[in-house]
Amino acid sequence: KLDAATGAEIWRHEFGAPITVVYAVAVAGGGDVYVAASPGDYSGAPHLVIRLDADDGHEIWRREVPSQGTYEPAEPWGTACRD
């Protein structure tokens, strides 16, 4: 997360393996950050939707989205969120 006025880094969240691709990032009204991510390959590993805390970036929750092993509709495309 970057400071809106200065661009300085406030916090950083590193997902680690197997996440290599972030498809979408959305900020909810309360400031929490939602991320749709995947392993970026066709391995069949699940895709993820993750909610990060606005204040310090810690992971609030993580949901797995089953992979079809292709870039078909099960992929986590989207940019809308609601608190």
Side-chain angles (χ1 to χ4, degrees):
K1 181 176 177 180
L2 304 177
D3 182 274
T6 67
E9 184 176 295
I10 297 172
W11 54 256
R12 174 188 307 231
H13 183 88
E14 301 208 9
F15 299 101
I19 299 302
T20 61
V21 177
V22 172
Y23 289 105
V25 176
V27 179
D32 286 349
V33 178
Y34 293 83
V35 179
S38 85
D41 59 19
Y42 300 102
S43 67
H47 303 279
L48 302 171
V49 178
I50 303 165
R51 182 177 182 174
L52 304 174
D53 183 83
D55 296 325
D56 62 10
H58 79 270
E59 196 171 296
I60 297 172
W61 54 253
R62 173 184 291 229
R63 301 291 183 268
E64 292 187 356
V65 179
S67 172
Q68 296 179 354
T70 65
Y71 287 108
E72 295 299 323
E75 295 286 336
W77 300 100
T79 55
C81 65
R82 180 174 176 208
D83 276 340

